[in-house]
Amino acid sequence: MKIFEYIDLRESGISSRKAAELCAISRTTGEKYYRKFIENRASLIANPTWENSQVLIEECLTPPSYNTSTRCPRKYTPEVDALLDQILENEEEKTRLLGNSHKQQLTCMQIWELIKNAGFDVGLSTITKKIKEKKNRHKECFISQEYEPGDRFEYDFGEVKLMINGQKKTFYLAVMTSPWSGYRAAYLYENQKSQVFFESMIRFFHEVGGCFKEGVFDNMRNVVSKFIGKTEKEINPELIRFAHYYGFRINVTNAFSGNEKGSVERSVEVVRNRSFALKYQFDSLEEARIWLKNCLSDLNKDTKWKEEQLFLIPLLPDYEAAKIVDRTVNKYSLISVDGNQYSVPDYLVGKEVRVKIYTETVKVYYEHSQVAEHRRINDDKQKTCFDIRHYLSTLRKKPGALRNSAALKAEPELKTIYDNYFSEKPREFIAILTRNKNMPLDQLKELLKIEACQAPSPQPAYEPLADQLQGYQALFA
């Protein structure tokens, strides 16, 4: 704008010296552009063609430019460049070790200070420009992928925080998706243990009606047992057995390369947002799971999973995804699992049993037969899960122990029925439980109430004292 102002002043008759002073520019520079303007205008007047007019317009619109192509940096020497490369390489190693989400990257200012402290006199703007150039030089090119139906599924975990019965708790979404059909499945769990990992895939295969040819995973602990060097990985043997059983290939992405399973990365965000962004308070975990299932039904309405079903590998009987351990039954007929205790039938005291630990249940086997099943305690430690029917043999011999037994007190409703109707008849209470021990506990409680109401009122063992006195009086009379 100063150049245009200078030209206007010169056109109005002001001298070059005065115009340069008013515009605060060099008189030589101003005159150079003024002479060029005069020449272009004279050329246009002499030959008023469209091309000549465009030249004049372009000269008026284009700001002054300088040829910097031949310039070389005076202070940014090869030694500074080598030092900057070393610093940026150290930053990449830090990111590899700490992860992409770490907040400890060096700023341009800090890098410039490191270079200055090394004895190099170079400007901050120069270093900032070079850092930008070097980072842009290594930008990655992504190859668009297209898959056939039934080709692959992608797996990932996502964290979600919910208010359950007024308490804030952290849960984990096991999310699986098919890139071809866009179908999404997600299950809510309290941890990311191996049982959860395998059980969630089994549930997914049942939900879609078959298995895929390839499963894509990141470098989670359930997938990679250990790293050997920077690129070699040792796959979890249990996952290898699982994949061989169902017939799919294992594909593990490179470290910090979520784009290699972009479908499920995006699915975690979508499922978490659609399901729990607006509603995050629930009375129980089961209610949250039902809510999640309903939200996924809406999400999957327009997917092509019905068409993809035709290309899936047929399902086999369920893979045994439980953690299997052996335990010895203690004198209270209890076994210990993950810091909690579970009751088993009393005839197994002192014997060794096999325990299959699932995400939600604990099953106990003795000599290849299931002898007990409990809902697994996941949210606490040092708790005991009783089933009073496991102690019936002992209670028949020791009925007096029933009143204060921990197994009875573990079922408050059952304890109330006992106190109200059977406190004087413990043997009858035990007999009813024994006859109907295979009945579900809720039905058994109702049966006990019915039996108590139908039982005849007990007759007094002796006549009332008033009747006895009356009899004595009649005798003496």
Side-chain angles (χ1 to χ4, degrees):
M1 295 306 298
K2 288 183 177 181
I3 296 297
F4 297 154
E5 185 180 352
Y6 181 89
I7 293 172
D8 288 340
L9 291 172
R10 292 289 285 125
E11 287 288 296
S12 63
I14 295 177
S15 68
S16 60
R17 189 178 301 277
K18 184 64 176 176
E21 183 182 340
L22 291 173
C23 296
I25 64 172
S26 166
R27 183 170 65 89
T28 306
T29 302
E31 281 301 299
K32 180 182 74 171
Y33 284 103
Y34 180 58
R35 284 195 300 271
K36 196 171 184 181
F37 174 77
I38 294 295
E39 291 171 4
N40 289 333
R41 189 170 61 175
S43 174
L44 180 61
I45 293 171
N47 187 15
T49 61
W50 181 85
E51 289 81 2
N52 285 343
S53 68
Q54 292 302 305
V55 169
L56 181 60
I57 292 170
E58 186 176 348
E59 291 289 343
C60 291
L61 294 178
T62 305
S65 60
Y66 304 94
N67 182 15
T68 60
S69 59
T70 58
R71 292 184 184 178
C72 296
R74 292 181 294 107
K75 295 186 177 182
Y76 188 83
T77 61
E79 291 79 9
V80 176
D81 188 68
L83 179 57
L84 180 58
D85 284 340
Q86 183 61 48
I87 294 171
L88 295 179
E89 186 178 332
N90 293 341
E91 284 296 284
E92 290 178 3
E93 177 66 13
K94 184 199 297 181
T95 299
R96 190 187 72 79
L97 294 173
L98 301 181
N100 285 334
S101 59
H102 79 92
K103 307 295 183 184
Q104 293 147 248
Q105 300 97 334
L106 289 177
T107 62
C108 292
M109 175 71 77
Q110 289 173 311
I111 294 174
W112 173 64
E113 289 174 350
L114 287 175
I115 293 174
K116 276 188 66 179
N117 293 338
F120 296 103
D121 182 21
V122 62
L124 172 61
S125 59
T126 301
I127 295 299
T128 302
K129 179 182 177 183
K130 290 296 181 181
I131 291 172
K132 188 179 294 186
E133 287 177 4
K134 289 178 181 292
K135 287 186 175 180
N136 287 339
R137 185 195 310 164
H138 301 298
K139 278 195 172 180
E140 185 178 359
C141 173
F142 299 102
I143 307 299
S144 178
Q145 302 288 296
E146 290 185 2
Y147 302 103
E148 297 299 319
D151 263 6
R152 77 184 211 163
F153 73 95
E154 298 175 1
Y155 188 106
D156 200 8
F157 273 113
E159 189 178 284
V160 59
K161 288 180 170 59
L162 302 176
M163 298 295 293
I164 303 295
N165 199 18
Q167 294 185 342
K168 186 178 81 170
K169 293 188 176 181
T170 300
F171 298 97
Y172 300 92
L173 282 170
V175 181
M176 283 138 283
T177 187
S178 162
W180 185 83
S181 67
Y183 187 85
R184 297 180 175 107
Y187 311 104
L188 198 59
Y189 291 101
E190 295 176 276
N191 57 62
Q192 304 177 71
K193 294 181 180 179
S194 60
Q195 296 103 308
V196 166
F197 177 62
F198 293 114
E199 183 191 285
S200 59
M201 282 191 282
I202 294 170
R203 291 175 66 181
F204 174 60
F205 296 157
H206 278 287
E207 189 171 321
V208 298
C211 183
F212 295 76
K213 298 180 182 69
E214 181 181 63
V216 184
F217 309 89
D218 61 16
N219 296 270
M220 67 180 78
R221 190 181 299 273
N222 292 322
V223 176
V224 179
S225 296
K226 64 179 179 180
F227 286 88
I228 306 169
K230 290 187 177 180
T231 56
E232 293 296 320
K233 306 163 190 174
E234 186 177 294
I235 305 299
N236 185 344
E238 189 64 28
L239 176 58
I240 294 174
R241 284 192 288 270
F242 183 86
H244 275 290
Y245 181 81
Y246 281 106
F248 67 85
R249 298 184 305 275
I250 300 170
N251 183 345
V252 183
T253 64
N254 291 311
F256 315 116
S257 301
N259 57 283
E260 294 180 11
K261 54 179 180 60
S263 297
V264 74
E265 291 281 340
R266 177 60 180 155
S267 291
V268 170
E269 297 175 17
V270 170
V271 170
R272 181 166 47 204
N273 184 269
R274 295 286 185 89
S275 302
F276 300 116
L278 292 176
K279 183 175 174 62
Y280 57 89
Q281 300 186 54
F282 302 91
D283 293 332
S284 65
L285 176 57
E286 192 57 38
E287 183 188 345
R289 285 170 170 164
I290 293 171
W291 173 260
L292 173 62
K293 185 177 180 180
N294 293 336
C295 292
L296 286 167
S297 296
D298 293 336
L299 272 176
N300 290 321
K301 277 181 181 177
D302 299 325
T303 59
K304 300 183 289 182
W305 72 277
K306 283 287 185 184
E307 294 93 319
E308 190 169 39
Q309 264 187 331
L310 304 174
F311 298 89
L312 299 180
I313 301 170
L315 275 182
L316 298 173
D318 285 355
Y319 182 85
E320 188 66 80
K323 177 183 176 184
I324 301 175
V325 295
D326 291 329
R327 291 288 184 266
T328 300
V329 182
N330 68 15
K331 64 180 180 180
Y332 298 108
S333 197
L334 297 170
I335 59 169
S336 178
V337 175
D338 294 335
N340 297 302
Q341 293 188 310
Y342 300 86
S343 67
V344 298
D346 49 10
Y347 68 86
L348 295 172
V349 169
K351 294 183 171 59
E352 190 175 80
V353 294
R354 176 146 291 183
V355 186
K356 293 184 178 180
I357 307 167
Y358 297 86
T359 56
E360 301 294 332
T361 58
V362 173
K363 296 182 181 180
V364 185
Y365 294 81
Y366 180 68
E367 294 183 345
H368 308 292
S369 298
Q370 184 175 324
V371 294
E373 181 176 345
H374 293 276
R375 185 171 182 81
R376 186 178 176 187
I377 304 168
N378 285 313
D379 57 348
D380 212 341
K381 297 289 185 185
Q382 305 301 322
K383 284 191 173 182
T384 304
C385 187
F386 285 105
D387 187 335
I388 194 171
R389 292 167 293 185
H390 292 157
Y391 298 91
L392 293 176
S393 297
T394 302
L395 288 173
R396 281 198 297 270
K397 301 172 188 175
K398 306 175 183 180
L402 178 62
R403 182 185 303 274
N404 295 309
S405 66
L408 180 61
K409 290 181 178 179
E411 289 288 341
E413 190 177 350
L414 200 61
K415 179 73 165 62
T416 302
I417 294 171
Y418 172 81
D419 290 338
N420 290 341
Y421 303 109
F422 296 96
S423 59
E424 302 299 328
K425 303 178 290 182
R427 292 185 183 277
E428 184 179 339
F429 183 83
I430 295 166
I432 295 172
L433 290 181
T434 304
R435 288 196 303 270
N436 303 280
K437 62 183 178 181
N438 294 324
M439 184 181 291
L441 197 56
D442 291 338
Q443 296 180 23
L444 188 53
K445 292 172 185 176
E446 295 300 321
L447 177 64
L448 283 166
K449 293 177 184 178
I450 294 170
E451 293 274 352
C453 294
Q454 290 178 350
S457 300
Q459 296 296 324
Y462 301 99
E463 295 179 4
L465 183 59
D467 292 344
Q468 290 185 36
L469 291 173
Q470 202 171 28
Y472 286 131
Q473 289 172 356
L475 178 62
F476 286 116

